[in-house]
């Protein structure tokens, strides 16, 4: 390749110039689309939020209902993400380190929440735990409220986020195989030591990436949570639901203020994701050098 | 520590990977498991280590049945074919791993661990690499670190799966001599897997020749070479010629066991020279006899009289010297 470039520099330059214009056009198009569909809406959100000044902005997000929505969102994230980590690591471990019947079925089932519409996921919980649901009478007898209460919201969030960590870890762990674990056992490590000192450090960045994706989804989930929530202000409202209520009440400034709070959280998560992704790529690159 | 393997069978699904394996390994011995790819060498090694469970049969260390003993309690040092070093740990931490995993009351202090690790790294002559990560090492260096790591916990038995498989010919040779010397020093009962007969002959006290899940022959290198128990062993242990006496019967002999002359003599057979290859101290001549398609190869010292002015297409006369075997 180098030799042809040297042999016929002008032809190469012409070809390259053609390339340059094509490339510039594509890049410009990409930026245009990005600006129109992503940056502009973001700008609008923030702009609307600050329309009546910072004072109104802060009143809107510090108002009790907004704070309670924030709290509920954080509770849903705080419960679903750790559970997800445990489930994801356990599932990925089973799938990548053992051979058993029904393995491919398990892998398919892990993906189910990706293919089922979140609204249907919410409805499943209503059908199961609602007053008219399968377990409804039993739950009522024992005075347990799941649907239209915090447990329902947490359950719905768990359902929609189940695949994130497992999906991230399964290919990673399959690629790494079991030899390092075997070596650890041969050197006298027990199961816990093996996991802590060998497996976990090897999957660390993939795990963080999975957690970040899972957190982002848990915070932003609307459909499934909307069905099971009942929209009781100050009680069963998460941030996305609260934004919707405010918006439907034509309280635009407040809606956009809360929305930009959600946005700030999302951007923070995005930065975390970027950082962990670059770590993973660096690890992969160094592994590929081997 | 001696190892007794009795009546071991292993299936993977319907495929029988090991068929009724019986093998006794003496304390302090260095045994080579030799056989073609897929014959079950790794499987046998993994069964000894406890990484794989046999369908039937038992493994005993020093007469004591260890079939039900967990991997971590067998006290076996294992060197994987692809080393399996812990990629996120430095060389030092890799070697220290086994010592640090010991239960609290047996675990040496960090100071003693450091001393011990440096001793081991000196033993494998790589002390200067202590702070590197596995990915920053060459294949031969990784190999030796893997060995140091396995030796750190003072195993009673050392198992090596094709320890030199992934290395180039020269490094292989160096490392295998180094391993033989190391074995002289520490005298650890060792089993190593290889599919390279030269390697097995050079390093091992005894060779176990395997084929398709069964043991074909067990014996000292000279023994299996001189008195192969089957055609398979004969062919596997070195280049061989097959000369048909009639359609049913043939004899086997090795290329260096051929006498050559330029003039017809009694018992000598005529053949056309197809190729002449100088290989250093010896020269290899490929001969074609009329009675069969399979060529005959002869190896003679490079200044052998019959080679003088020899060119392709000429006629040479050959005779198998001592025919080693005559199997059907
Ligand atoms: N986990 C497994 N599942 C199914 N088949 C297996 C498994 N492990 C090994 N085998 C089969 O058992 C046979 C013996 O395998 P093994 O790894 O012991 O061969 P080997 O002698 O070490 O070969 P090589 O020299 O290529 O390493 C092979 O045919 C292999 O396909
Ligand atoms: Mg093998």
């Amino acid at each position: 390749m180098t030799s042809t470039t040297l042999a016929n520099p002008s032809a190469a330059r012409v070809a390259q110039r053609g390339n340059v214009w094509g490339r510039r056009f594509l890049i410009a198009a990409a930026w245009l689309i990005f600006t129109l569909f992503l940056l502009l809406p973001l700008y609008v959100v923030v702009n609307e939020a600050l329309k009546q000044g910072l004072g109104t902005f802060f009143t809107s997000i510090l108002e009790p209902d907004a704070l309670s929505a924030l709290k509920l969102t954080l509770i849903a994230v705080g419960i679903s993400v750790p559970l997800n980590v445990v489930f994801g690591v356990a599932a990925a471990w089973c799938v990548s380190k053992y051979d058993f019947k029904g393995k491919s079925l398990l892998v398919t089932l892990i993906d189910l929440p990706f293919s089922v519409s979140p609204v249907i996921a919410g409805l499943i919980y209503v059908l199961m735990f609602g007053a008219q649901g399968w377990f409804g009478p039993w739950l009522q007898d024992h005075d347990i409220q799941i649907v239209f209460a915090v447990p329902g919201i947490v359950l719905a969030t768990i359902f929609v986020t189940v695949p994130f960590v497992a999906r991230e870890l399964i290919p990673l762990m399959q690629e790494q195989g079991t030899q390092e674990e075997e070596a650890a056992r041969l050197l006298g490590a027990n199961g816990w030591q093996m996991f802590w000192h060998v497996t976990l450090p090897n999957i660390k960045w993939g795990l963080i990436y999975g957690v970040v994706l899972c957190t982002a989804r848990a915070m932003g989930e609307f459909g499934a949570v909307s069905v099971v929530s009942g929209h009781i202000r100050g009680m069963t409202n998460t941030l996305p639901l609260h934004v919707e209520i405010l918006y439907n009440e034509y309280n635009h400034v407040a809606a956009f203020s809360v929305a930009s709070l959600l946005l700030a959280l999302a951007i923070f998560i995005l930065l975390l994701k970027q950082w962990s992704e670059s770590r993973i790529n660096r690890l992969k690159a160094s592994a590929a050098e081997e | 520590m001696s190892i007794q393997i009795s009546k071991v069978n292993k299936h993977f699904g319907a495929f029988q990977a090991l068929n009724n394996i019986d093998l006794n390994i003496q304390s302090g011995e260095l045994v080579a498991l030799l056989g073609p790819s897929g014959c079950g060498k790794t499987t046998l090694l993994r069964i000894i280590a406890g990484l794989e469970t046999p369908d039937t049969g038992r493994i005993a260390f020093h007469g004591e049945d260890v079939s039900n003993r967990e991997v971590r309690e067998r006290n076996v040092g294992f060197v994987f074919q692809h080393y399996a070093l812990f990629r996120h740990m430095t060389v030092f931490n890799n070697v220290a791993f086994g010592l640090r995993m010991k239960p609290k009351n047996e675990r040496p202090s960090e100071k003693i661990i450091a001393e011990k690790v440096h001793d081991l790294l000196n033993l494998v002559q790589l002390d200067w690499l202590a702070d590197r990560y596995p990915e920053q090492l060459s294949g031969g260096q990784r190999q030796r670190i893997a060995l140091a790591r396995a030796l750190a916990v003072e195993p009673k038995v050392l198992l090596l799966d094709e320890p030199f498989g992934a290395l180039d010919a020269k490094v292989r040779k160096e490392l295998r001599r180094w391993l033989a010397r190391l074995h002289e020093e520490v005298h650890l009962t060792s089993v190593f897997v290889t599919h390279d007969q030269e390697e097995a002959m050079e390093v091992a006290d005894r060779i176990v020749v395997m084929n398709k899940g069964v043991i074909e022959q067990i014996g000292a290198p000279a023994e299996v070479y001189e008195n192969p128990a089957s055609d398979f062993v004969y062919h596997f242990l070195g280049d061989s010629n097959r000369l048909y006496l009639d359609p049913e019967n043939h004899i086997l002999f090795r290329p260096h066991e051929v006498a050559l002359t330029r003039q017809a003599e009694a018992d000598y057979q005529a053949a056309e020279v197809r190729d002449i290859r100088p290989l250093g101290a010896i020269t290899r001549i490929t001969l074609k006899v009329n009675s069969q398609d399979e060529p005959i190869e002869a190896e003679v010292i490079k200044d052998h009289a019959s080679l003088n002015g020899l060119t392709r297409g000429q006629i040479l006369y050959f005779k198998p010297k001592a025919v080693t075997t005559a199997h059907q």
Side-chain angles (χ1 to χ4, degrees), chain B residues 182-193:
Chain B
L182 184 80
H183 185 256
E184 301 253 290
E185 275 174 42
V186 287
H187 260 299
L188 197 55
T189 309
S190 311
V191 183
F192 86 101
V193 162

Side-chain angles (χ1 to χ4, degrees), chain A residues 32-176:
Chain A
L32 188 70
I33 293 171
F34 177 72
T35 313
L36 268 179
F37 289 92
L38 287 165
L39 285 185
L40 199 61
L42 287 188
Y43 170 76
V44 169
V45 169
V46 178
N47 193 41
E48 283 290 315
L50 297 174
K51 217 174 195 171
Q52 292 169 19
L54 274 177
T56 326
F57 173 79
F58 280 114
T59 337
S60 314
I61 62 173
L62 294 176
E63 178 233 355
D65 285 351
L67 283 181
S68 117
L70 173 65
K71 193 174 126 201
L72 187 54
T73 292
L74 291 182
I75 288 176
V77 169
I79 296 178
S80 63
V81 172
L83 280 179
N84 210 296
V85 168
V86 173
F87 168 78
V89 172
W93 182 281
C94 285
V95 168
S96 57
K97 314 267 170 180
Y98 298 113
D99 258 329
F100 55 90
K101 281 214 179 80
K103 187 156 128 176
S104 55
L105 185 69
L106 180 68
V107 176
T108 313
L109 283 179
I110 291 175
D111 278 343
L112 194 65
F114 274 165
S115 43
V116 172
S117 156
V119 176
I120 295 173
L123 281 176
I124 293 171
Y125 283 104
V126 174
L127 283 178
M128 271 169 44
F129 303 118
Q132 267 75 47
W134 287 0
F135 302 108
W138 186 89
L139 289 170
Q140 256 161 6
D141 289 346
H142 292 79
D143 219 10
I144 304 171
Q145 175 96 23
I146 290 184
V147 171
F148 307 138
V150 176
I153 291 173
V154 172
L155 280 176
T157 309
I158 290 175
F159 182 86
V160 293
T161 53
V162 147
F164 284 98
V165 172
R167 265 282 140 237
E168 198 57 41
L169 290 186
I170 287 171
L172 188 65
M173 285 168 89
Q174 271 174 340
E175 186 188 307
Q176 290 179 346

Side-chain angles (χ1 to χ4, degrees), chain B residues 6-310:
Chain B
S6 28
K7 305 216 163 34
V8 163
N9 283 283
K10 177 74 184 175
H11 288 81
F12 291 110
F15 177 80
Q16 184 154 24
L18 290 177
N19 186 357
N20 226 11
I21 299 288
D22 272 304
L23 174 62
N24 284 315
I25 297 164
Q26 309 304 320
S27 198
E29 204 176 16
L30 177 55
V31 168
L33 294 182
L34 176 65
S37 186
C39 72
K41 307 178 296 285
T42 299
T43 307
L44 181 55
L45 212 62
R46 289 173 61 84
I47 285 177
I48 299 174
L51 292 172
E52 211 87 62
T53 340
D55 302 338
T56 59
R58 79 180 205 137
I59 305 286
F61 287 172
H62 212 77
E64 187 190 344
D65 193 340
V66 294
S67 303
N68 295 318
R69 222 190 269 173
E70 251 206 83
V71 177
R72 53 191 289 256
E73 284 154 7
R74 289 200 190 188
N75 204 359
V76 163
F78 199 104
V79 178
F80 290 86
Q81 184 167 1
H82 298 289
Y83 324 126
L85 291 174
F86 304 125
R87 65 192 92 180
H88 64 278
M89 290 183 206
T90 60
V91 163
F92 181 95
N93 288 337
N94 261 283
V95 179
F97 186 85
L99 297 169
R100 289 183 176 147
M101 290 306 113
K102 285 186 187 287
K104 265 219 169 69
N105 51 348
E106 294 170 34
R107 196 184 309 158
S109 70
E110 274 300 313
K111 188 165 159 280
I112 297 181
I113 290 180
E115 274 171 26
K116 197 150 180 204
V117 170
H118 284 295
D119 283 350
L120 281 161
L121 289 177
N122 280 324
L123 181 74
V124 297
Q125 300 156 359
L126 291 177
D127 198 33
W128 51 288
L129 291 177
D131 296 326
R132 295 252 194 112
Y133 283 86
E135 70 194 33
Q136 301 167 316
L137 304 181
S138 75
Q141 290 167 340
R142 279 178 214 177
Q143 176 58 48
R144 283 184 281 169
I145 298 302
L147 192 58
R149 180 179 72 175
L151 291 174
V153 287
E154 295 176 10
K156 301 272 171 46
V157 168
L158 184 61
L159 307 175
L160 306 119
D161 192 359
E162 306 212 16
F164 316 122
L167 307 173
D168 69 60
K170 191 156 178 301
V171 181
R172 263 175 103 102
K173 234 173 204 163
E174 269 167 36
L175 272 184
R176 85 164 78 118
R177 294 202 176 130
W178 177 83
L179 178 72
R181 272 203 311 277
L182 184 80
H183 185 256
E184 301 253 290
E185 275 174 42
V186 287
H187 260 299
L188 197 55
T189 309
S190 311
V191 183
F192 86 101
V193 162
T194 177
H195 54 242
D196 178 345
Q197 44 88 19
E198 202 186 311
E199 195 164 286
M201 305 279 283
E202 186 167 333
V203 181
D205 298 324
R206 278 198 304 160
I207 296 180
V208 177
V209 186
M210 292 181 66
N211 183 28
K212 293 183 183 154
V214 299
I215 292 182
E216 293 267 341
Q217 190 174 8
I218 306 174
E223 204 175 318
V224 286
Y225 190 78
E226 302 296 339
N227 299 309
S230 63
D231 271 13
F232 174 82
V233 177
Y234 187 86
H235 286 295
F236 202 77
L237 282 181
D239 296 333
S240 56
N241 289 311
R242 188 173 8 205
L243 182 64
Y244 286 90
L245 305 173
D246 56 64
E248 256 86 67
N249 290 304
H250 65 262
I251 54 172
L252 295 171
F253 53 96
R254 301 206 186 273
H256 68 263
E257 297 167 331
V258 179
L260 295 178
T261 72
R262 296 294 273 275
Q263 277 83 41
E265 279 180 42
D267 298 338
Y268 280 70
Q269 209 172 326
E272 186 193 330
V273 175
R274 280 288 165 86
D275 195 20
I276 306 167
R277 292 273 152 196
L279 301 174
I282 58 161
T283 298
R284 183 194 299 145
I285 299 133
T286 309
L287 299 167
K288 168 82 176 74
V289 277
N290 275 334
S291 51
Q292 67 184 54
D293 284 338
E294 226 175 287
I296 302 288
E297 288 190 335
E299 285 174 4
V300 292
I301 49 169
K302 74 174 196 312
D303 42 12
H304 194 269
S306 63
L307 294 180
N308 204 354
L310 188 70

Side-chain angles (χ1 to χ4, degrees), chain A residues 208-227:
Chain A
I208 291 177
Y209 185 55
V211 166
V212 165
L213 287 179
C214 175
T215 309
R217 180 68 194 265
M219 271 182 1
E221 176 54 27
F222 182 84
V225 169
S226 171
V227 176

